Amino acid sequence: MDRCVVLVDAGYLLGAAASLLAGEPARGQITVDHSVLIQSLRERAEEETGCGLLRIYWFDGAPDRVPQPEHRRMRVMSRVTVRLGALTRSEGRWAQKGVDAAMHAELTELARNRACSDIVLITGDGDLLPGLMSAKEHGVAVHLWAVQAADGDYNQSEDLVAEADERRVLDREWITRSVRAKEPPTPCPPSGGPGPEIAAILSAPLPESAKNGTAAPAEPDEAADSEEPTTGGGRVPTPKDLAGLGRHQPAPQPTTTLRWSSDRGLAERGGSPESPEAAALPMLAQLTTAEQRWADREEDITAVSGDPSEVGQVFARRWIARLGQPVLLRHLSAEYPRVPHRIDGELLRYAARFGLLAHKDDQIDEQDRYAIRAGFWREVEAVTKERRSSEE
């Protein structure tokens, strides 16, 4: 059967690309255009083997084998099959488990069933040597591709290199068609940024007294001596951080409240409970038709990256668009910075679909929760501004 199959060890391919372009094998140092990468792999495999492509198998690790956003997008690409192993953390480092075994099983099964005439193998792990040899014994030509090593030396097992029928190197020029090193973040002066409420929630969500301008800032010498964590510098504050703000502020008025909700309940500090109007707000699921649910799923797979702030914005945009009654949006805004409990739980469950879990008791990381809610309020503010402008 004159067809070729490509087996990709994503940990090797992207880790070696990160070493080549960013100087370290951390995949967080690069950005990848997966659609361009898959198309480039297909074109090169067909050119090198002289056969049409049967399929690209993408082997990668994921915490608890939960598909990450890039895996969700790749699974719906033409001629792509995603196989996930476990991703575990040991001694401060992430390690893939089960990926090599899955690649070995696929390699030998394809050869044994004569599903293809040529197999392109992109990996550096010598554990695949028995599978490579088995494929050769079944009459399959094995093409071993390497990513150009950052130091000019091999980044593959020498035994694999010796046993492969054909060998090629994916050089820097080829890699940079679809992979880029991330630029270091550079601070820029705010211009036309979010309004005061959203700016507060992004940097330090304050009690209502502070939002209204009645809270006094900490003295410089007090701030320097304080052991409480600061809420500036772009770090998302925790409820404990926020509670500590009161140490350097006047005693709050009886109506002051610091309110946040979570999927485990409401956190109330000296304020009134959730208003009946907020408690009665409809959930997104109640506002969504079957057709809209299908369209939402397609958008989630193909267009939503899974960034926590973006996830919050997408959820808020859908909820507001289907709400219908402007007065209900005003009931929501009156609850700032607390997201009504039922809606907040639904928001966090939606975010969990994108792999935004700390993988401990199936809970979303605390800082991600705040970023999700910040994105939610950012979208609320944007829509509110737009509507206000149209009414003027």
Side-chain angles (χ1 to χ4, degrees):
M1 186 68 68
D2 291 336
R3 298 183 298 189
C4 67
V5 170
V6 182
L7 305 182
V8 182
D9 179 349
Y12 165 76
L13 173 60
L14 300 183
S19 294
L20 179 64
L21 302 181
E24 56 180 296
R27 288 163 61 169
Q29 299 297 318
I30 56 175
T31 57
V32 183
D33 187 330
H34 290 88
S35 60
V36 174
L37 177 58
I38 291 298
Q39 184 61 29
S40 298
L41 288 171
R42 177 172 186 166
E43 292 174 356
R44 180 149 181 171
E46 291 180 335
E47 178 183 354
E48 294 282 349
T49 64
C51 304
L53 177 75
L54 172 62
R55 191 173 297 114
I56 294 175
Y57 288 90
W58 184 269
F59 295 88
D60 203 0
D64 296 340
R65 290 185 169 87
V66 175
Q68 301 300 293
E70 65 268 22
H71 302 141
R72 294 165 62 90
R73 290 192 295 272
M74 294 181 72
R75 289 192 303 184
V76 297
M77 291 182 183
S78 176
R79 301 296 182 100
V80 175
T81 295
V82 176
R83 296 280 189 258
L84 295 180
L87 192 63
T88 60
R89 192 171 183 84
S90 176
E91 299 180 355
R93 298 183 62 184
W94 289 100
Q96 295 182 158
K97 299 294 183 183
V99 172
D100 295 339
M103 290 188 71
H104 180 277
E106 199 69 58
L107 177 60
T108 54
E109 193 70 12
L110 288 167
R112 183 182 299 114
N113 293 325
R114 303 185 184 278
C116 56
S117 60
D118 295 72
I119 291 178
V120 174
L121 193 59
I122 305 177
T123 186
D125 199 330
D127 290 344
L128 286 173
L129 180 62
L132 186 154
M133 297 174 67
S134 175
K136 290 174 61 178
E137 290 169 0
H138 283 87
V140 174
V142 180
H143 305 249
L144 183 66
W145 290 2
V147 176
Q148 179 181 340
D151 56 7
D153 200 356
Y154 284 122
N155 53 16
Q156 289 179 307
S157 162
E158 291 189 16
D159 290 333
L160 278 182
V161 173
E163 282 291 333
D165 294 305
E166 301 285 347
R167 293 170 294 278
R168 295 290 184 272
V169 174
L170 304 176
D171 60 18
R172 180 186 294 267
E173 180 182 357
W174 190 92
I175 292 292
T176 52
R177 296 178 190 174
S178 55
V179 183
R180 295 283 188 278
K182 287 184 178 178
E183 297 291 335
T186 54
C188 57
S191 59
E197 289 92 355
I198 299 302
I201 199 172
L202 290 175
S203 58
L206 300 175
E208 290 179 359
S209 59
K211 286 196 299 171
N212 296 331
T214 60
E219 294 296 328
D221 57 342
E222 292 180 338
D225 296 336
S226 173
E227 295 181 358
E228 290 291 330
T230 62
T231 56
R235 185 176 71 80
V236 180
T238 66
K240 180 180 178 181
D241 296 333
L242 301 179
L245 293 174
R247 293 174 52 180
H248 303 299
Q249 296 173 352
Q253 300 299 319
T255 57
T256 298
T257 179
L258 176 62
R259 304 173 300 185
W260 283 94
S261 126
S262 73
D263 56 355
R264 289 190 172 182
L266 298 178
E268 297 285 352
R269 288 190 173 90
S272 59
E274 189 171 83
S275 69
E277 294 82 4
L281 288 172
M283 297 170 65
L284 177 61
Q286 297 172 294
L287 304 170
T288 303
T289 66
E291 291 79 7
Q292 288 172 327
R293 190 173 296 109
W294 185 89
D296 291 348
R297 177 181 173 278
E298 288 296 303
E299 182 184 12
D300 290 343
I301 292 174
T302 60
V304 181
S305 71
D307 174 78
S309 179
E310 181 192 12
V311 168
Q313 288 180 278
V314 170
F315 181 93
R317 183 172 67 247
R318 292 172 183 169
W319 187 80
I320 294 169
R322 297 165 194 174
L323 199 56
Q325 304 178 47
V327 66
L328 297 181
L329 184 58
R330 290 196 290 272
H331 291 329
L332 171 70
S333 300
E335 292 296 305
Y336 176 87
R338 175 178 61 184
V339 181
H341 177 49
R342 292 167 66 240
I343 296 173
D344 186 62
E346 188 182 32
L347 169 61
L348 295 179
R349 288 192 295 273
Y350 170 66
R353 301 177 193 173
F354 294 89
L356 294 174
L357 296 175
H359 302 285
K360 182 179 181 181
D361 302 325
D362 289 332
Q363 296 298 308
I364 297 177
D365 179 80
E366 190 169 42
Q367 293 198 12
D368 281 347
R369 292 183 186 215
Y370 278 82
I372 292 164
R373 292 162 180 149
F376 178 90
W377 283 114
R378 182 187 289 114
E379 187 67 20
V380 170
E381 185 199 44
V383 173
T384 303
K385 276 187 174 182
E386 183 179 345
R387 292 184 177 180
R388 189 182 300 122
S389 300
S390 63
E391 291 172 359
E392 293 175 353

